[in-house]
Amino acid sequence: MVNPPSTPSAPPPWLPAGAPRRPRRWPTVAWLVAITLVAVVAIVGWLRPLQDHKTSASSTPTYTDQQVATAKSNVCAAFEKVQHAVDLAKTHAGSTDYTTQLATAALTHVALDAGSRYLLTKLAAEPATPPDLAAAVRNEANAEQEALIGYLNGLTASDPAMQPALNADDEATATIRRLCK
């Protein structure tokens, strides 16, 4: 007798019931730990005294004589560069040639704009600059910017509205020259 081919037995339609599984507790523990950490950080941040970030006279930085001398030298050299550029831009100011007049005006505008920004940048890079020199350089840069705005608005150097800016520039220049000796 020939045995019919055996067919694999089908799995039972359901898994055998085993012991009931206990719910996992690690997610609950993880949440409790996370919430506790957040609460601790919040309470510490809330109760921690605030630091006073205001600068006081006692926290003013001090500089060595060498640092002050170097800063003064660098700022004075920057001032001389700017003065030379402005003077060079104005070399053809009295020309009757229209193209030369336009070129002179454009170069003067560039020299005043770039010069004022250059002075302020150099001053910021030299915190040991003596305060009186720093104030004069800021005044010079501000006067140059005021003059530039006046020129861009169509004013000329002889216009009465330009006199405050030009007088401020002259005063600042004289002060810087005196301090840079």
Side-chain angles (χ1 to χ4, degrees):
M1 163 159 165
V2 175
N3 289 336
S6 68
T7 60
S9 62
W14 60 86
L15 292 174
R21 294 179 13 160
R22 291 191 305 168
R24 296 181 187 228
R25 294 194 180 181
W26 70 267
T28 305
V29 171
W31 276 106
L32 287 174
V33 168
I35 290 173
T36 303
L37 287 175
V38 168
V40 167
V41 169
I43 290 171
V44 168
W46 185 34
L47 296 177
R48 183 174 158 202
L50 296 176
Q51 294 179 350
D52 187 15
H53 293 290
K54 296 178 185 175
T55 57
S56 64
S58 64
S59 67
T60 302
T62 57
Y63 301 102
T64 66
D65 290 341
Q66 180 60 41
Q67 289 172 315
V68 171
T70 301
K72 178 180 176 180
S73 174
N74 292 341
V75 169
C76 289
F79 169 76
E80 288 302 327
K81 286 180 186 178
V82 170
Q83 288 303 297
H84 183 263
V86 171
D87 291 344
L88 188 63
K90 293 179 179 180
T91 55
H92 299 292
S95 175
T96 57
D97 179 41
Y98 182 70
T99 304
T100 304
Q101 289 174 353
L102 284 177
T104 300
L107 287 175
T108 302
H109 295 167
V110 170
L112 290 173
D113 181 39
S116 64
R117 288 185 288 121
Y118 179 74
L119 286 174
L120 294 174
T121 300
K122 285 297 186 181
L123 191 58
E126 298 291 351
T129 304
D132 52 349
L133 178 59
V137 169
R138 277 192 284 283
N139 290 343
E140 173 72 13
N142 290 337
E144 288 178 356
Q145 290 173 352
E146 286 294 326
L148 173 61
I149 292 300
Y151 289 138
L152 291 174
N153 281 314
L155 301 177
T156 63
S158 60
D159 194 312
M162 283 293 285
Q163 293 315 301
L166 296 177
N167 291 341
D169 182 62
D170 291 343
E171 185 180 317
T173 297
T175 302
I176 293 169
R177 289 204 189 282
R178 179 179 48 79
L179 294 172
C180 285
K181 287 183 179 180

